[in-house]
Amino acid sequence: MLDFECPSLWMTPLDNYPMSVLETEEADKFMEATFFYDAELKPSEQTDGFAEATLTALETGELTPLVKEELKYTIQSRRLANGQSELGVEFTEPEQGQLTEEEKEKIVKRREQNKLAARRFRQRRRAKGPVYAKEVNELEADNTRKLAEIRRLRKERDELQAMLHNHLLVCPTVTIQTG
């Protein structure tokens, strides 16, 4: 038997969560449907799915297989509770058809065109490399000039503000209004 600790969302006591009357009724309906479904299932069908999901969950370290299995049984139980039949899901591999000579030629032609287009793209990118480098250098130099201009203008603004402040302190004709 496997011994492991795994927190389970569906085993949390509902007493810890206050529920409205509507939620309580919904939970009761769900439980009735689950019990009805469990009684209808053959034990081997139910335990085989959960056993396989448990092993998968242990191998991968994720609870997704267990959650999916429980969701599958919940859906089936609701269907049975509503008088509907069980859902049967079958997965079949799609048949692989053989390509005709014309289709094979199209594929080869498309691949060749793709190779040529990729080659032309790489050549254009290599050719534009120095152009882009020159443009980057020009933009960086322009940015540096603009930053220097910003520093100069801020310094000039600060000097003018200081001069105005000093003038207002000594000028008798100007009154400073506050507020």
Side-chain angles (χ1 to χ4, degrees):
M1 180 161 195
L2 299 172
D3 289 332
F4 66 97
E5 289 185 26
C6 182
S8 175
L9 297 176
W10 51 86
M11 296 185 72
T12 304
L14 292 177
D15 299 337
N16 296 337
Y17 302 102
M19 293 193 299
S20 67
V21 173
L22 182 62
E23 290 172 328
T24 306
E25 290 173 2
E26 288 297 317
D28 290 342
K29 286 180 188 175
F30 171 74
M31 293 305 292
E32 287 172 15
T34 304
F35 292 137
F36 174 73
Y37 182 65
D38 290 346
E40 295 292 318
L41 273 181
K42 297 174 187 164
S44 62
E45 289 177 14
Q46 189 173 12
T47 55
D48 286 348
F50 278 116
E52 188 175 323
T54 303
L55 290 175
T56 305
L58 287 173
E59 289 173 3
T60 61
E62 296 181 7
L63 291 176
T64 306
L66 285 171
V67 172
K68 285 183 177 182
E69 195 67 25
E70 181 158 351
L71 181 60
K72 178 177 123 182
Y73 287 115
T74 302
I75 291 169
Q76 293 288 21
S77 68
R78 287 185 183 169
R79 287 184 60 82
L80 288 174
N82 292 333
Q84 298 173 333
S85 63
E86 286 190 36
L87 285 177
V89 180
E90 295 179 22
F91 295 102
T92 57
E93 289 290 324
E95 292 183 20
Q96 297 292 330
Q98 294 295 323
L99 297 176
T100 64
E101 287 300 319
E102 185 178 313
E103 292 171 331
K104 289 178 184 178
E105 288 174 18
K106 282 183 180 179
I107 291 172
V108 169
K109 185 177 178 182
R110 192 177 315 127
R111 285 183 183 162
E112 187 62 33
Q113 288 175 345
N114 193 24
K115 282 182 192 178
L116 293 173
R119 185 179 300 146
R120 286 191 305 268
F121 172 77
R122 286 190 291 271
Q123 288 172 347
R124 281 194 306 267
R125 190 174 55 190
R126 268 188 245 117
K128 289 187 177 183
V131 173
Y132 290 147
K134 181 180 176 184
E135 187 178 342
V136 166
N137 289 336
E138 290 173 0
L139 291 171
E140 286 177 348
D142 187 42
N143 193 28
T144 303
R145 281 192 301 274
K146 289 178 180 177
L147 288 173
E149 179 72 12
I150 288 171
R151 280 193 299 274
R152 185 187 65 75
L153 290 171
R154 284 183 179 161
K155 183 178 176 185
E156 184 179 338
R157 178 198 63 193
D158 293 343
E159 289 172 358
L160 290 172
Q161 283 179 343
M163 287 172 55
L164 177 62
H165 181 67
N166 290 336
H167 176 71
L168 292 175
L169 291 176
V170 293
C171 183
T173 59
V174 179
T175 59
I176 301 175
Q177 295 179 356
T178 59

